[in-house]
Structure formats: C-alpha cells, structure tokens
Amino acid sequence: MLEIKNLHVTVDGKEILKGIDLDIGAGEVHAIMGPNGSGKSTLSYVLAGRDGYEVTKGSVRFKGKDLLDMSVDERAAAGVFLAFQYPLEIPGVTTMNFLKTALNAQRKARGEEELDAVRFLKLVREKAKPLNVTDDMLKRALNVGYSGGEKKRAEVLQMSLLEPSLAVLDETDSGLDIDALKTVAEGVNALRSPERAMIVITHYQRLLDYIVPDVVHVLSNGRIVKTGGKELAHELEKSGYAGYGADAA
Amino acid sequence: MSEKATQKLVETYRGAQSALPGAGGWLARRRETAIDAFTQTGLPHRRLEEWKYTDLRQVLEKAILVPAPAHDGALVLPELHSATAFSAIDRYVLVFVNGVYQPGLSQLAHLSKGAELCALAEVLHEQWAKDIVERRFDDARQAEDIVDLNTALMSDGACLRIRKGVKLDKPLHLFFLGADAGASHTRNLILLENEAEATIFETHMGEVASFADIVTDVALGEGAKLNHVKLQDESSEAIHLSTMRTRLAASSKLSSFTLTLGCGVSRGQNFVLFSGEGAEANVDGAYALKGKQHLDQFCVIDHAVPGCTSHTLFKGVLDGASEGVFQGKVVVRPQAQKTDGRQMTHALLLSRDAAMNAKPELEIYADDVQCAHGSTVGELSKDAIFYLRSRGIPEAEARRLLVLAFLDETLELAPHEDARDALKLLVSDWFSEAGL
C-alpha cells in the first residue's frame, strides 16, 4: 500500500528526515513512536503534502503511484487521510457543510456520483452516532468551540465518512483524558479492515494499549532506529527514548 | 474655492438653479445658503482627517460633473445578477434612471393606506420635508459638509412618509440605474412616524462613468422600525457618494445593511443620532472588491441620550489592487449612561496589492457604558486551506469556502430574510465570476 524509500526531507533548510524506509501493507497498523523533534509530525505532513516540506531525496509510492507527484487534495481523493494533532477551527463553515463538501469533492474526483442532501444526511448520522457526535455539533462551525475530545472525535468521524485506504493519525491521544481516548480508539478500531492501512504516530505507549499495532517503529533524529512488534512499545514505556540516541523526553 | 471641480459644481448650480425643484420657495433659499457654505469649504480633500483616505477633490477633478442627460427609451438593465437580485420578492419598485424618477417603470399600485410615497418635487410644500431637510447633525461636521453640495443641487429622490402605527405591507425597492455618463444629485426623505414600520431596498447599478451623489435623510418616530438593505454594483468608472443620516426617537430601531460588489470610487457615510432612550441602530455591511476599486465606509454613531444600543460590523474581501477604508466613531455623550456600543471591522486581503485602512474610534464621556471596537486585517490562513485540501477539497473551492464563511457572519445581519438569501447568492456568484 505504502512504500517509503530513503526519504529525506528538509524544512526551512534544515534536514528533519534523514533517510526513512517504511513498507506498509493493506490491513496493517504501524505505530511510529519517538521523542519530540524526532520527525514524527514531519513524516505525517509530507505524506499529506503540506507546503514547506521539501523532499530532497527518496520516494513515496502509494498504491503503486508516486504520491509526491500529487497535490494535497488529489492525495485525499486517492485515499490518504491525516488526522491532525491540532484540528483547525474553521469559523463560518458548519461541520455538516464541510463534511458534505469534502465527501462530494472526493467522489467527484474519483468520477463517482455526488450524494444529495438526503442521502448524505442519512450517511453522516449513521457514522456520527457511534462516535457520540451530536446533531448539535454537526450544525456548529467546524471545530469551533469543540473540546479537545470533540475535536478528535470529529477527526475520526471525517475518517469514517471519507473511508481512506491509508489513515495517518498524528498524536491522536494528545490532550485527551482516558474516557475520550477510549471513545476515539474504539472509533479507530472500528475502521480497521483488511483493505486499510494505518500509521499511528504517538509519543506515549498509552494509545497503543487501545489501538494495538502490528508493527512498532522507533523514530529518532530523522531515522527509524528500531522496528519490532507491539511489545516494543512496552519496552519504551519502561526505558524511555534515552537508549535511542535522543534525550529522554 | 480655487480648485476646478468645486468651481464646476458651483457653476452647474448657477445654471440649473431656476429649474431645480422648489424654485422660489423655502428650498431655494436653503439652496443658496448651502451653495455659499459649499463655496467656502470646497470639496473635501485628504488633508482633512475624515477624508484622509479618499481625496474627493482629486477624484472629481477628472469626473463628468454636468448632469447626466434625461434618459428616454426603453430601460436596458445591465446583465448582472444584482439587477434581478430582489425580483423574486413581492415589493413596490421606484425606478430612477440617471437620477430621475421614472413613473412608467415603477410599480406602486395599491400602496398601503397611511403610506405616502412620491418624488422630491411633489413633497416640498410639506412641513415634514422641510423639517427633515433643515435638520443638522452636530458631530463630524467635516464629513457632513458635503451634504451642502447635495442640498444645493438635489433634483429628485424618493420621499416616503408612513403614518403613525402603519406598517408598510411590502418592501419598497428604490432602484437607481446609471444609464448615461454624468452627475446626479438625489435626496431621499424618509419619515416613519411613531410605531410605523417599513423595509426599504436600495439598488445602485450602472455600467457608465456616473457620479452619483445621494443623501438619504431618515427620521424614526418613537417605536418606529426601519429595515434597510442596500446593494451597490456599479462600474469601475463610477463615483458614488452617499450619506445616510438617521435620527432615532425613543425605542425606535434602524437595521441598515450595505453590500458593495462593484464601484469605482465609493464613499458611504452613515450618521446615526439617538434622540430618545431605548433605541437601537445596526449599521452593518459586507463588500468584495477587485481591480482598482476603492470603497470608503464612514460611520458615526452619536449616543446623545442614555440606554441606546448600536452595532456596526463591516467585513470585506479585497482582491487585485483594490483599496478599502473604514472610519468609524462611536460617541457616548456624558449623559448617555447604559449605552451599549459596538463597532468592528474585519478585512481579508486576497492579493498582495490590495490594501485596507481601518480607523475605528470610541469617544466615551459617560462611565456606566459597554463599548467595544476593533479591527483586523488579514489573509486567508494557509493552515486552514491545507486542512480543507487534506480532506479532498480542491484549492479554489477551499478558498471560496473560507471567504464565504468569513463574509457570512456579517451577511447574516441583513435585516430581511429573503433579501439576505439574495445577497448571499450574489456574493457566491461574485466569487465564481472573479475566479477566486
């Protein structure tokens, strides 16, 4: 599904990613752990296509195509989804309107029929219910005045509605209490499927108790320094990142 | 009075004087006083604080100042959505072409009982018209001095009087079309007696190099309610100078909203004077400018009595090399306790060459009041665009969504539901056409 080869990325002239290799197959959930400043968020932004992240070397192929050649919205329509660490507040655009515009834009880009208001409403309600996203939230401006937990639930709702093939969850656990974390993790787990790959980026092992990964990578100073099974997360919890060429964070 | 434009305007007055409405009566004397005052002060220029960003003297230097010819023949509306924006709303229509009332094109059948509507010339014998014309607002004199020019040269306009307790059953639409290049001086007089209510739409459009000078004098009696929606979509050669002066008696309410989608150089002035307690004034607007358009919104709210509420919000987007100006002042007099006054302006620059000058001011002499003012100028958030695009929304659509969302807050304040929907559609079209 996703093949990253020798990926080097600079931001403002500074090299942040220094040769990443990563191969993720359909149905797999990979966790990327690492201390602050190791390049975790940079990796997620490069995959989503944010401006200001310059790929100086290497390649990223998604479903056999050159991902780096595609614009931000083309990547989304092709099935890449980034759940933001800090979802943006968009005053004046209701969550409902945003979801409909996004879903129909993707359907249009893929040559599928756009959903009319009635069908869309039915679909969004069906997806919103298990995530405790209320009609009231859907009517409000996107993420405006949402609590931390509401923002993350809204991100998972977007993911559930857009049904990406590759979901990148950037520090989805940040700012969540344990109950909110459980709701969000349940939402994510419900989306696990043999056709879908996920990258779960996190600083702490806590999230991985709820979203159990198939593979864990440790990212440090722009490189993947260790790869292992889910037990690697527990090791890190005990030893910290000190042994991986970075300060204990 | 050395500079050319002032001189030309005074000459125009001397030439037209005997043919202007009200010759030989009180208005003729009033016109004389006005032209003398105008001759003394001349056209305003940028050395005056109130006109710092819009040098009217310089603007009119190159303008056609002689009156536009009387228009005959069929009415040809510009092919703009604005021309038909309010068409679906059941309303009375009063059409002015080149500043001249066109009874044949107007629809006034069955005006509510207790409502009187006529052209300026027909109302001059009435005392209420005289009272309203002779009224003076004390504050911001320099901004208001330009009214003298209008008083001297006013040749036509819509005059509406609603009797006590009467509610105008349908909105009244004043449609001003500039069909030929040249000047027009319009004076509208609106009197809503106690507890009277009315909704007025105003459309200004044209595809010519017009100079439209409009003064609208409004008096609201106790408990009266006026909703006002103004739409301006003129050519990039048009010069638009409008002044609305509203005096509010106790418990009356003004809700005025202006949408500007097209203009060359435009100065819109709003003066609100509270003369009775418990009144409310909302003076809001939205604009979308491109090319070299220049729009100056000037707004003075005078809380002369206690317990009144005012709200002003102007939001606009500026593309190309357009220029926006907002100058506003909320004055709270010493006796005006329990005033609630708010004045905000926000602008979004869509291009590096666009500019915005904003100067909101508060002058507070009372201590038990709630007042706020503020101003922001910014550009579309790159992060927000990225966020929307990361969900599959193409860049152009993302920008459009964000800009419309930005304007939506103020468009929501337009005081008539159907008109509000019409304005929203126009704004949406504007963005499609501007290719943003």
Side-chain angles (χ1 to χ4, degrees):
Chain A
M1 169 93 54
L2 182 73
E3 287 169 78
I4 302 178
K5 285 209 173 95
N6 192 29
L7 183 68
H8 290 252
V9 175
T10 59
V11 180
D12 291 331
K14 193 179 169 222
E15 187 164 58
I16 306 290
L17 297 184
K18 303 168 181 171
I20 300 273
D21 289 288
L22 200 58
D23 208 335
I24 300 178
E28 296 175 6
V29 174
H30 288 227
I32 295 182
M33 301 185 68
N36 292 331
S38 58
K40 298 189 302 289
S41 286
T42 298
L43 180 62
S44 69
Y45 285 142
V46 171
L47 293 177
R50 189 175 195 151
D51 282 347
Y53 294 76
E54 194 192 345
V55 176
T56 52
K57 218 190 271 179
S59 66
V60 180
R61 297 190 77 76
F62 174 63
K63 294 185 191 168
K65 285 189 197 147
D66 184 354
L67 186 71
L68 303 177
D69 229 19
M70 299 158 85
S71 71
V72 180
D73 40 290
E74 282 168 356
R75 294 177 197 203
V80 176
F81 181 92
L82 169 63
F84 281 56
Q85 183 178 1
Y86 303 109
L88 271 94
E89 299 190 358
I90 313 283
V93 180
T94 64
T95 302
M96 194 69 107
N97 183 21
F98 162 76
L99 292 172
K100 185 162 179 256
T101 308
L103 181 64
N104 279 335
Q106 290 202 13
R107 292 180 70 98
K108 195 176 164 192
R110 291 193 294 258
E112 297 163 15
E113 191 199 347
E114 295 181 35
L115 291 188
D116 60 35
V118 178
R119 281 165 67 205
F120 173 77
L121 194 66
K122 190 166 173 277
L123 179 67
V124 80
R125 287 211 170 118
E126 185 186 302
K127 302 276 189 183
K129 206 174 166 199
L131 290 163
N132 286 329
V133 174
T134 59
D135 271 9
D136 175 60
M137 269 175 79
L138 292 170
K139 279 181 206 150
R140 274 150 62 193
L142 181 60
N143 292 327
V144 177
Y146 284 20
S147 69
E150 285 175 331
K151 282 183 184 170
K152 296 298 168 79
R153 267 152 50 205
E155 290 288 289
V156 178
L157 171 61
Q158 291 172 32
M159 186 162 98
S160 160
L161 198 66
L162 299 173
E163 301 185 314
S165 330
L166 171 69
V168 182
L169 282 67
D170 188 6
E171 308 253 1
T172 291
D173 48 338
S174 71
L176 294 189
D177 62 31
I178 195 72
D179 291 329
L181 182 66
K182 278 185 190 166
T183 312
V184 167
E186 275 167 27
V188 172
N189 285 330
L191 294 170
R192 289 179 79 149
S193 98
E195 289 85 43
R196 181 171 293 136
M198 290 188 188
I199 299 176
V200 181
I201 292 173
T202 182
H203 187 106
Y204 303 104
Q205 167 266 339
R206 186 179 72 154
L207 176 67
L208 303 180
D209 284 344
Y210 299 96
I211 305 173
V212 180
D214 301 304
V215 184
V216 175
H217 307 276
V218 180
L219 187 66
S220 176
N221 197 22
R223 289 190 183 91
I224 290 175
V225 291
K226 188 162 186 180
T227 297
K230 60 187 177 213
E231 63 289 345
L232 182 54
H234 290 277
E235 261 172 55
L236 282 169
E237 182 71 3
K238 288 191 203 115
S239 61
Y241 293 109
Y244 296 93
D247 298 335
Chain B
M1 201 267 287
S2 52
E3 87 327 316
K4 268 194 306 191
T6 301
Q7 212 163 353
K8 266 196 247 167
L9 286 162
V10 173
E11 279 163 20
T12 304
Y13 167 74
R14 294 287 169 220
Q17 170 170 28
S18 56
L20 288 169
W26 64 270
L27 183 56
R29 292 188 296 279
R30 183 72 194 84
R31 287 185 195 275
E32 276 297 312
T33 326
I35 201 73
D36 285 348
F38 176 70
T39 310
Q40 286 287 319
T41 55
L43 282 164
H45 49 82
R46 75 173 57 160
R47 291 188 302 282
L48 301 168
E49 189 59 24
E50 285 87 344
W51 295 88
K52 193 171 168 182
Y53 305 104
T54 304
D55 193 330
L56 193 65
R57 190 175 283 190
Q58 201 184 31
V59 168
L60 292 183
E61 196 90 334
K62 292 161 224 137
I64 303 170
L65 298 175
V66 295
H71 184 78
D72 50 14
L75 180 71
V76 181
L77 287 176
E79 283 182 27
L80 293 169
H81 294 297
S82 302
T84 50
F86 300 132
S87 299
I89 302 170
D90 187 18
R91 71 215 195 280
Y92 302 112
V93 187
L94 215 60
V95 177
F96 292 80
V97 179
N98 297 343
V100 181
Y101 173 47
Q102 307 287 322
L105 301 172
S106 303
Q107 304 158 29
L108 289 175
H110 314 297
L111 201 64
S112 327
K113 196 164 179 286
E116 298 152 29
L117 178 64
C118 61
L120 182 69
E122 299 155 40
V123 82
L124 295 173
H125 60 278
E126 306 232 20
Q127 185 63 34
W128 74 269
K130 181 168 187 279
D131 289 347
I132 217 166
V133 168
E134 296 199 326
R135 218 173 44 162
R136 287 216 71 113
F137 283 23
D138 291 331
D139 208 55
R141 281 302 307 276
Q142 281 183 334
E144 212 202 24
D145 276 343
I146 191 67
V147 171
D148 283 330
L149 172 69
N150 183 279
T151 302
L153 279 162
M154 61 189 190
S155 56
D156 212 338
C159 299
L160 175 70
R161 177 189 193 176
I162 311 271
R163 299 280 182 171
K164 190 177 165 188
V166 172
K167 295 177 174 57
L168 191 62
D169 60 340
K170 293 190 268 188
L172 167 64
H173 187 184
L174 308 178
F175 193 102
F176 296 90
L177 176 70
D180 303 279
S184 61
H185 301 272
T186 303
R187 185 71 152 250
N188 302 311
L189 306 177
I190 293 158
L191 170 65
L192 267 55
E193 294 182 0
N194 295 353
E195 309 294 333
E197 290 181 18
T199 294
I200 295 181
F201 302 153
E202 208 183 324
T203 300
H204 294 268
M205 61 190 325
E207 292 174 308
V208 294
S210 53
F211 165 43
D213 156 34
I214 306 128
V215 173
T216 301
D217 280 323
V218 181
L220 301 184
E222 286 179 17
K225 226 167 119 181
L226 175 66
N227 291 329
H228 173 237
V229 179
K230 176 177 168 181
L231 168 62
Q232 190 185 355
D233 195 357
E234 295 173 296
S235 89
S236 56
E237 299 165 294
I239 300 162
H240 184 97
L241 171 65
S242 77
T243 304
M244 180 159 164
R245 304 188 296 180
T246 308
R247 191 183 171 101
L248 292 101
S251 305
S252 62
K253 182 175 175 183
L254 166 72
S255 296
S256 173
F257 187 90
T258 301
L259 174 66
T260 305
L261 293 174
C263 66
V265 174
S266 177
R267 160 100 167 185
Q269 308 193 117
N270 239 302
F271 297 94
V272 169
L273 175 65
F274 290 110
S275 62
E277 296 184 22
E280 180 184 340
N282 303 297
V283 178
D284 306 297
Y287 53 91
L289 306 179
K290 58 191 173 194
K292 289 188 170 174
Q293 294 175 333
H294 174 101
L295 175 67
D296 182 339
Q297 309 276 11
F298 186 96
C299 193
V300 178
I301 314 281
D302 191 345
H303 285 266
V305 294
C308 293
T309 302
S310 68
H311 181 279
T312 298
L313 174 67
F314 276 87
K315 276 184 134 180
V317 294
L318 299 110
D319 195 26
S322 63
E323 195 174 40
V325 180
F326 177 86
Q327 291 190 88
K329 197 197 279 185
V330 177
V331 184
V332 183
R333 307 266 169 203
Q335 66 279 15
Q337 303 294 359
K338 305 284 179 199
T339 285
D340 187 343
R342 272 154 225 283
Q343 187 161 69
M344 297 287 162
T345 171
H346 304 293
L348 204 52
L349 304 181
L350 299 180
S351 119
R352 289 194 174 274
D353 297 324
M356 177 71 198
N357 296 294
K359 212 178 70 175
E361 290 175 88
L362 285 176
E363 261 183 47
I364 305 177
Y365 302 101
D367 51 14
D368 184 14
V369 301
Q370 282 191 42
C371 284
H373 69 157
S375 147
T376 61
V377 181
E379 52 184 9
L380 282 177
S381 151
K382 287 200 178 84
D383 291 343
I385 293 172
F386 171 64
Y387 187 57
L388 297 182
R389 291 184 69 198
S390 79
R391 299 303 183 245
I393 301 172
E395 183 168 7
E397 176 70 12
R399 289 171 67 89
R400 187 166 161 270
L401 204 60
L402 292 172
V403 168
L404 294 180
F406 172 78
L407 290 179
D408 201 59
E409 183 195 358
T410 174
L411 286 165
E412 277 296 323
L413 302 172
H416 184 281
E417 200 180 336
D418 293 338
R420 180 161 66 234
D421 292 344
L423 296 187
K424 284 188 178 186
L425 265 180
L426 284 179
V427 172
S428 181
D429 286 344
W430 186 91
F431 283 98
S432 307
E433 280 162 25
L436 291 167

